[in-house]
Amino acid sequence: DGQALTRAGAQAGDLIAVSGTLGASAAGLRLLTANGAAHGAATADFLIAAHLRPQPRLALGRLLVVHGATAAMDLSDGLFGDLPKLLGASGATGRIDARTIPVASSVRAHFPLDWLELATRGGEDYELLFTIPGPRWFALSRAASEIGATLTTIGAVTTPAPSTPLLTVVGLDGRTAPIDAQAFDHFGGEDSSSSA
């Protein structure tokens, strides 16, 4: 075949999507470094395994090529670290909705105040971040389910305009804010006090 997806093919109107759930690896690392703090057995083991034994999505990567994804990359630096790289390489901008980001219930249960930060900035998830034209979504989603993979759309690629941020996010409160790709601080930045 010789076909390979890069980060540089996203086009305005494409859907932005991810595989699996986000935040489990970062949550597992936090549990491992919690110095023996009480963990809820099975769910803690799941999160720790996500960190120690990640599963690369090789078969899913091949499906993305077959079904016409336009750009893709591994989520290694977290959604807010990697999505701006993909958008920048593609010369595009994007908008996502934090309320649609797939996060395992065990991450939410163990970290009720930090689950969104773990999911968006934690990294090392070994899930795939990709873009695909809307008309191709259904066939890809069906093919992915046949190999046991789950996919979730979280936003769309937009056309850059003057002074438009690379990435804007609709927060849990429904308000839209730009995301600074360099700022690995708490979601929402210093002007947000809603994380308490």
Side-chain angles (χ1 to χ4, degrees), residues 22-24 27 30-31 38-44 46-47 103-116 118:
L22 308 186
R30 196 173 286 185
L31 287 174
H39 305 144
T43 58
F46 163 77
L47 297 174
V103 180
S105 57
S106 52
V107 175
R108 294 176 191 250
H110 281 276
F111 301 99
L113 300 179
D114 297 338
W115 63 267
L116 184 59
L118 292 168

Short mmCIF file of all heavy atoms in Angstrom, two decimals, residues 22-24 27 30-31 38-44 46-47 103-116 118:
data_model
loop_
_atom_site.label_atom_id
_atom_site.label_comp_id
_atom_site.label_asym_id
_atom_site.label_seq_id
_atom_site.Cartn_x
_atom_site.Cartn_y
_atom_site.Cartn_z
N LEU A 22 -9.87 8.72 27.30
CA LEU A 22 -8.68 9.49 27.61
C LEU A 22 -8.52 9.67 29.12
O LEU A 22 -9.50 9.70 29.85
CB LEU A 22 -8.75 10.86 26.93
CG LEU A 22 -9.04 10.86 25.42
CD1 LEU A 22 -8.92 12.26 24.85
CD2 LEU A 22 -8.13 9.90 24.69
N GLY A 23 -7.28 9.76 29.56
CA GLY A 23 -7.00 10.05 30.96
C GLY A 23 -6.63 8.87 31.82
O GLY A 23 -6.14 9.05 32.94
N ALA A 24 -6.84 7.64 31.32
CA ALA A 24 -6.58 6.47 32.17
C ALA A 24 -5.11 6.32 32.51
O ALA A 24 -4.75 6.01 33.65
CB ALA A 24 -7.11 5.20 31.49
N ALA A 27 -4.12 8.93 35.05
CA ALA A 27 -4.72 8.58 36.34
C ALA A 27 -3.96 7.42 36.98
O ALA A 27 -3.71 7.42 38.19
CB ALA A 27 -6.19 8.21 36.15
N ARG A 30 -0.80 8.71 38.47
CA ARG A 30 -1.06 9.43 39.71
C ARG A 30 -1.33 8.46 40.86
O ARG A 30 -0.88 8.67 41.98
CB ARG A 30 -2.23 10.40 39.54
CG ARG A 30 -2.27 11.42 40.65
CD ARG A 30 -3.29 12.49 40.44
NE ARG A 30 -2.92 13.46 39.42
CZ ARG A 30 -3.64 14.53 39.16
NH1 ARG A 30 -4.74 14.77 39.84
NH2 ARG A 30 -3.26 15.38 38.22
N LEU A 31 -2.03 7.36 40.57
CA LEU A 31 -2.27 6.35 41.62
C LEU A 31 -0.96 5.68 42.04
O LEU A 31 -0.74 5.44 43.22
CB LEU A 31 -3.26 5.29 41.12
CG LEU A 31 -4.71 5.72 41.00
CD1 LEU A 31 -5.54 4.62 40.35
CD2 LEU A 31 -5.30 6.09 42.36
N ALA A 38 -5.17 4.65 49.49
CA ALA A 38 -6.19 3.64 49.24
C ALA A 38 -6.67 3.71 47.80
O ALA A 38 -7.02 4.77 47.30
CB ALA A 38 -7.36 3.87 50.19
N HIS A 39 -6.66 2.57 47.14
CA HIS A 39 -7.15 2.47 45.77
C HIS A 39 -8.35 1.55 45.78
O HIS A 39 -8.38 0.58 46.53
CB HIS A 39 -6.09 1.89 44.84
CG HIS A 39 -4.79 2.62 44.85
ND1 HIS A 39 -3.59 1.98 44.72
CD2 HIS A 39 -4.50 3.94 44.97
CE1 HIS A 39 -2.61 2.86 44.77
NE2 HIS A 39 -3.14 4.06 44.93
N GLY A 40 -9.30 1.82 44.91
CA GLY A 40 -10.47 0.95 44.80
C GLY A 40 -10.19 -0.22 43.89
O GLY A 40 -10.50 -0.19 42.72
N ALA A 41 -9.57 -1.23 44.40
CA ALA A 41 -9.16 -2.48 43.75
C ALA A 41 -9.25 -2.53 42.23
O ALA A 41 -8.33 -2.12 41.55
CB ALA A 41 -9.91 -3.63 44.37
N ALA A 42 -10.33 -3.03 41.68
CA ALA A 42 -10.41 -3.32 40.25
C ALA A 42 -10.23 -2.07 39.40
O ALA A 42 -9.51 -2.08 38.41
CB ALA A 42 -11.74 -3.99 39.93
N THR A 43 -10.87 -0.98 39.78
CA THR A 43 -10.75 0.22 38.96
C THR A 43 -9.35 0.80 39.02
O THR A 43 -8.83 1.28 38.02
CB THR A 43 -11.79 1.29 39.37
OG1 THR A 43 -11.61 1.62 40.74
CG2 THR A 43 -13.20 0.81 39.12
N ALA A 44 -8.72 0.73 40.18
CA ALA A 44 -7.35 1.21 40.29
C ALA A 44 -6.41 0.36 39.45
O ALA A 44 -5.54 0.87 38.75
CB ALA A 44 -6.89 1.23 41.75
N PHE A 46 -7.15 -1.26 36.75
CA PHE A 46 -7.39 -0.92 35.35
C PHE A 46 -6.58 0.32 34.95
O PHE A 46 -5.94 0.37 33.91
CB PHE A 46 -8.89 -0.68 35.13
CG PHE A 46 -9.21 0.05 33.86
CD1 PHE A 46 -9.16 -0.61 32.63
CD2 PHE A 46 -9.54 1.40 33.88
CE1 PHE A 46 -9.45 0.07 31.44
CE2 PHE A 46 -9.83 2.08 32.71
CZ PHE A 46 -9.78 1.41 31.49
N LEU A 47 -6.61 1.34 35.80
CA LEU A 47 -5.91 2.59 35.49
C LEU A 47 -4.40 2.40 35.51
O LEU A 47 -3.68 2.91 34.65
CB LEU A 47 -6.33 3.68 36.49
CG LEU A 47 -7.80 4.07 36.45
CD1 LEU A 47 -8.13 5.05 37.56
CD2 LEU A 47 -8.18 4.64 35.10
N VAL A 103 -14.18 9.77 28.69
CA VAL A 103 -13.35 9.57 29.88
C VAL A 103 -13.92 8.38 30.65
O VAL A 103 -15.12 8.32 30.90
CB VAL A 103 -13.35 10.83 30.78
CG1 VAL A 103 -12.48 10.62 32.01
CG2 VAL A 103 -12.89 12.05 30.00
N ALA A 104 -13.05 7.43 30.99
CA ALA A 104 -13.51 6.24 31.71
C ALA A 104 -14.12 6.63 33.05
O ALA A 104 -13.64 7.54 33.73
CB ALA A 104 -12.34 5.28 31.93
N SER A 105 -15.18 5.93 33.42
CA SER A 105 -15.86 6.24 34.69
C SER A 105 -14.91 6.07 35.87
O SER A 105 -15.04 6.77 36.87
CB SER A 105 -17.10 5.36 34.86
OG SER A 105 -16.74 3.99 34.80
N SER A 106 -13.93 5.16 35.75
CA SER A 106 -12.99 4.97 36.85
C SER A 106 -12.10 6.19 37.04
O SER A 106 -11.70 6.52 38.17
CB SER A 106 -12.14 3.72 36.62
OG SER A 106 -11.55 3.76 35.34
N VAL A 107 -11.78 6.91 35.96
CA VAL A 107 -11.00 8.14 36.08
C VAL A 107 -11.83 9.19 36.82
O VAL A 107 -11.35 9.85 37.74
CB VAL A 107 -10.56 8.67 34.69
CG1 VAL A 107 -9.86 10.01 34.81
CG2 VAL A 107 -9.67 7.66 33.99
N ARG A 108 -13.09 9.31 36.43
CA ARG A 108 -13.98 10.27 37.10
C ARG A 108 -14.18 9.92 38.56
O ARG A 108 -14.23 10.79 39.42
CB ARG A 108 -15.35 10.30 36.39
CG ARG A 108 -15.30 10.85 34.98
CD ARG A 108 -16.69 10.73 34.35
NE ARG A 108 -16.67 11.00 32.94
CZ ARG A 108 -17.21 12.08 32.38
NH1 ARG A 108 -17.79 12.99 33.11
NH2 ARG A 108 -17.17 12.24 31.08
N ALA A 109 -14.30 8.61 38.86
CA ALA A 109 -14.54 8.18 40.24
C ALA A 109 -13.34 8.45 41.13
O ALA A 109 -13.49 8.92 42.27
CB ALA A 109 -14.90 6.70 40.26
N HIS A 110 -12.13 8.15 40.66
CA HIS A 110 -10.93 8.33 41.48
C HIS A 110 -10.49 9.78 41.56
O HIS A 110 -9.86 10.18 42.55
CB HIS A 110 -9.78 7.48 40.93
CG HIS A 110 -9.87 6.03 41.30
ND1 HIS A 110 -9.43 5.53 42.49
CD2 HIS A 110 -10.39 4.98 40.61
CE1 HIS A 110 -9.66 4.23 42.52
NE2 HIS A 110 -10.23 3.88 41.41
N PHE A 111 -10.80 10.56 40.52
CA PHE A 111 -10.35 11.96 40.48
C PHE A 111 -11.50 12.88 40.10
O PHE A 111 -11.51 13.46 39.01
CB PHE A 111 -9.18 12.09 39.48
CG PHE A 111 -8.01 11.22 39.83
CD1 PHE A 111 -7.83 10.00 39.21
CD2 PHE A 111 -7.12 11.61 40.83
CE1 PHE A 111 -6.76 9.17 39.55
CE2 PHE A 111 -6.05 10.79 41.18
CZ PHE A 111 -5.87 9.57 40.54
N PRO A 112 -12.47 13.03 41.00
CA PRO A 112 -13.68 13.80 40.66
C PRO A 112 -13.41 15.27 40.35
O PRO A 112 -14.20 15.90 39.65
CB PRO A 112 -14.56 13.64 41.90
CG PRO A 112 -13.64 13.22 43.00
CD PRO A 112 -12.53 12.46 42.35
N LEU A 113 -12.31 15.82 40.85
CA LEU A 113 -12.00 17.23 40.58
C LEU A 113 -11.05 17.40 39.41
O LEU A 113 -11.02 18.47 38.79
CB LEU A 113 -11.40 17.90 41.82
CG LEU A 113 -12.27 17.89 43.06
CD1 LEU A 113 -11.54 18.56 44.23
CD2 LEU A 113 -13.60 18.58 42.79
N ASP A 114 -10.26 16.37 39.09
CA ASP A 114 -9.20 16.51 38.09
C ASP A 114 -9.40 15.67 36.84
O ASP A 114 -8.52 15.61 35.99
CB ASP A 114 -7.86 16.09 38.71
CG ASP A 114 -7.46 16.99 39.86
OD1 ASP A 114 -7.95 18.12 39.92
OD2 ASP A 114 -6.66 16.54 40.70
N TRP A 115 -10.53 14.98 36.70
CA TRP A 115 -10.67 14.04 35.58
C TRP A 115 -10.51 14.72 34.23
O TRP A 115 -9.91 14.16 33.32
CB TRP A 115 -11.99 13.28 35.66
CG TRP A 115 -13.22 14.12 35.56
CD1 TRP A 115 -13.93 14.66 36.59
CD2 TRP A 115 -13.89 14.52 34.36
NE1 TRP A 115 -15.01 15.38 36.10
CE2 TRP A 115 -15.00 15.31 34.74
CE3 TRP A 115 -13.66 14.28 33.01
CZ2 TRP A 115 -15.88 15.86 33.81
CZ3 TRP A 115 -14.53 14.83 32.07
CH2 TRP A 115 -15.63 15.62 32.48
N LEU A 116 -11.02 15.94 34.08
CA LEU A 116 -10.92 16.60 32.77
C LEU A 116 -9.48 16.99 32.47
O LEU A 116 -9.02 16.85 31.34
CB LEU A 116 -11.84 17.82 32.71
CG LEU A 116 -11.88 18.51 31.34
CD1 LEU A 116 -12.35 17.56 30.25
CD2 LEU A 116 -12.76 19.75 31.40
N LEU A 118 -6.82 15.40 33.57
CA LEU A 118 -6.14 14.15 33.24
C LEU A 118 -6.45 13.73 31.80
O LEU A 118 -5.57 13.26 31.08
CB LEU A 118 -6.55 13.05 34.22
CG LEU A 118 -6.06 13.22 35.65
CD1 LEU A 118 -6.76 12.24 36.59
CD2 LEU A 118 -4.55 13.06 35.73
#
